[in-house]
Amino acid sequence: MFKSKTNMKLFPIYKMFSWDLLFYYAISFLFLTQVKNFSPAQVLSGDSFYILFKLLVLVICIPLIDKLGKKNCLIFGNILVALSVYIIIIANGFSHILISYFIMALGYQFKELCESSLLYSSIPTYEKKRNIFAKIDAKGSSLYYFTDGITSIIASFSYVVNPYLPMYLCIGCLLFSAFISFGFEDENTNTKPKNEDDEEYSTQTLKEYMQDIKDSFKFIFKSRRLRALLIFSVLIYSMFSISSTLRSSLFVDLGIPAQYFGIIAAIYQTIASISSRKQEWFHNRFRNTVLAFFSISMCLLFIFVGTISIIGGASCVIVVLILYLIHYIVKGPYYTLMDKYLNSFSTREISTKIYSAKSVVTSIFSTIILQIASLVMDNFTTAKSFIIIGFSFFGAFILVLQYMKTRVGLKPEEYKKSDIEYVKVK
C-alpha cells in the first residue's frame, strides 16, 4: 500500500505552484506583442489552437498514463509545460508559438488527468472520503489564488526591469512543481477502483474514453436539455477567452503602464474568487434567468467598453477598468453553476460522459469562434472589435436563450424522459 498521508499533505503545496502558470498571465500579452511582435489577432488565434491541441493530445496522454503511472506523468507534464514556456522565450515566428502551445497542451493534459485522480486514490475509503478530497483540493486552490495575486504584481514590475525575467520565474515554478511531484507516492497503475465512488476519479483507458464519448453523444443527441446547455457553454466559454485577450489589447491601446497590469490582474482575480463563493446567491437571486443574466451582462460589457473607448475622454480608463469587473463577477460563479446544471438528473455514470462530451464540443467549436474573432481583430481596432464581437454574441445568445426557454429550467415533471433519463443507446 502506497503512503496516502504523504500525498494528502503534499498536494496543497503542489497545487499552490502548479495549478496554472504563475508569473505568466499578467504579462503574457505584453510579452507576445511587445517583445515577440505578434499581433493581438495572432495571440487570440494561438489561444484557439491551444484549445484544439488539448483535445487532440488525449489520444497520447491516456495510454501513457496507463503505462507510466500518475506520478511519472505529473513530473513529465510539469517539465513539458516548462519547456513550452522556454520555447515562447526563444520563439521568432508564429509557428514556434504553435509548437509551444502543442507541448503545453500535452503537459497540461497529463497534469489534469492525473492530479485529482492521484489525490482521490490517496484518501482511505470511508464515508467522508469525498468531503476530505474537497477540503484538501480547496486548500490548494486557496493557496494558489493567494500566490497568483502576489506573483502577478511581481511579474508586472519585473517585466519593466527585464521582460524575460517573469518568464524565467514562471519556468522556475514549473520545475519546482516537477520537483515536488517526485515526493508523491503512486499506487499500482493496474489497480482497478474498488467501488463506484472511486471510479469517478480513476483514469480511463483510451478505449474506455472513446466509448464514453460515443455513448454520451448518443444520449445528448436525444436530450434537448443537454443540447441547449452545451450550446450555451460553448458560446460563453469562447466569450471569456476572447474577453481576456481583448482586455489586454485595450489596456495597451489606452496606455496603461505595464507595471500596473499585475496589480489590475490581482484585483480582478480577487473579485472572481469572492464572486465564486457567492454562486448560491446568484442561483437563488436569478433562478431560471441566471444564465441569461451572465450572458447578456458579458455582451453589454463588450458593447459599452468598445463604445466608451471610441468616445475617449479623461475618465475613459477608469470607467473601462470598473466595467471590466463584470467579467470576473460573472466568471467566478459561472463554472460552478454550469457544472451543477449539467449534473442535474445525472448519475455518476453519465456525469463523466457529459463532461467528456462538453470537453470535445467546447474544444472544436470554441476553436472556430476564436479564429473568427481573430479575423475581426486583424481588420478592426480593439475598440471596434469589442463592439462587433459584442453585438454578434448578443444576437447568438438571444437565439440560444430562446431555444433554452422550453428546454432548461423546467420542473422535473415537465421534462420528457429522453431529456433527463440516461439510457445507453446502441
Side-chain angles (χ1 to χ4, degrees), residues 86-361:
Y86 180 72
I87 292 173
I88 294 174
I89 291 173
I90 63 173
N92 54 23
F94 189 65
S95 60
H96 293 162
I97 296 298
L98 294 183
I99 293 170
S100 167
Y101 284 175
F102 180 84
I103 295 172
M104 187 180 291
L106 183 60
Y108 266 110
Q109 278 294 24
F110 276 127
K111 284 158 56 66
E112 290 171 12
L113 288 169
C114 293
E115 287 167 346
S116 293
S117 177
L118 181 65
L119 172 62
Y120 199 79
S121 59
S122 302
I123 303 170
T125 303
Y126 71 107
E127 186 180 348
K128 295 185 178 179
K129 181 170 182 172
R130 293 171 66 86
N131 293 336
I132 293 173
F133 170 84
K135 185 177 180 180
I136 295 172
D137 190 60
K139 182 180 179 182
S141 301
S142 177
L143 289 171
Y144 168 80
Y145 281 126
F146 177 76
T147 308
D148 184 50
I150 294 174
T151 57
S152 293
I153 295 170
I154 295 172
S156 60
F157 282 96
S158 61
Y159 178 86
V160 176
V161 177
N162 184 332
Y164 289 90
L165 184 56
M167 300 294 285
Y168 281 111
L169 289 172
C170 176
I171 291 175
C173 287
L174 289 163
L175 293 178
F176 185 61
S177 297
F179 175 75
I180 294 173
S181 300
F182 277 99
F184 286 123
E185 297 288 341
D186 204 355
E187 83 277 31
N188 186 343
T189 58
N190 295 320
T191 300
K192 295 294 182 182
K194 293 181 179 180
N195 54 50
E196 185 185 2
D197 199 39
D198 288 345
E199 191 173 348
E200 182 177 347
Y201 291 89
S202 67
T203 51
Q204 298 171 297
T205 65
L206 181 59
K207 184 178 179 180
E208 289 169 338
Y209 180 81
M210 297 309 294
Q211 187 60 49
D212 272 359
I213 294 294
K214 183 179 177 181
D215 292 344
S216 59
F217 273 110
K218 285 180 179 178
F219 172 53
I220 289 164
F221 184 76
K222 292 183 64 180
S223 173
R224 302 179 309 155
R225 176 181 168 276
L226 285 177
R227 283 204 308 269
L229 285 172
L230 286 179
I231 293 169
F232 183 93
S233 178
V234 167
L235 284 177
I236 201 159
Y237 175 85
S238 302
M239 200 170 196
F240 285 149
S241 299
I242 295 167
S243 178
S244 296
T245 301
L246 280 176
R247 181 205 68 200
S248 297
S249 180
L250 184 64
F251 286 179
V252 172
D253 292 350
L254 294 175
I256 296 176
Q259 59 266 34
Y260 295 143
F261 270 56
I263 298 172
I264 294 168
I267 293 171
Y268 284 156
Q269 282 290 74
T270 302
I271 295 297
S273 178
I274 295 169
S275 180
S276 67
R277 298 191 201 111
K278 300 292 183 181
Q279 51 88 16
E280 196 64 33
W281 180 88
F282 281 97
H283 174 73
N284 293 331
R285 174 66 178 81
F286 295 99
R287 291 292 176 182
N288 292 346
T289 63
V290 67
L291 294 181
F293 171 77
F294 287 162
S295 55
I296 299 304
S297 295
M298 285 296 297
C299 293
L300 293 177
L301 165 66
F302 271 49
I303 295 166
F304 288 152
V305 164
T307 303
I308 290 167
S309 300
I310 290 174
I311 295 171
S315 61
C316 174
V317 173
I318 295 173
V319 174
V320 167
L321 289 173
I322 293 172
L323 279 174
Y324 236 91
L325 291 172
I326 294 171
H327 172 110
Y328 296 89
I329 291 171
V330 168
K331 187 178 180 180
Y334 166 74
Y335 288 111
T336 301
L337 288 175
M338 178 54 77
D339 286 349
K340 179 179 179 179
Y341 300 152
L342 286 170
N343 265 323
S344 297
F345 310 110
S346 72
T347 61
R348 288 188 189 127
E349 179 188 10
I350 187 55
S351 179
T352 56
K353 291 175 171 61
I354 291 171
Y355 287 130
S356 296
K358 179 189 172 188
S359 176
V360 171
V361 170

Side-chain angles (χ1 to χ4, degrees), residues 51-68 73 76 102 105-110 113 204-211 213 359-360 363:
I51 295 169
L52 182 62
F53 290 155
K54 284 195 74 176
L55 172 63
L56 297 178
V57 299
L58 272 171
V59 297
I60 303 172
C61 295
I62 292 173
L64 279 176
I65 292 170
D66 189 50
K67 294 286 184 183
L68 301 176
C73 287
F76 188 43
F102 180 84
L106 183 60
Y108 266 110
Q109 278 294 24
F110 276 127
L113 288 169
Q204 298 171 297
T205 65
L206 181 59
K207 184 178 179 180
E208 289 169 338
Y209 180 81
M210 297 309 294
Q211 187 60 49
I213 294 294
S359 176
V360 171
S363 296

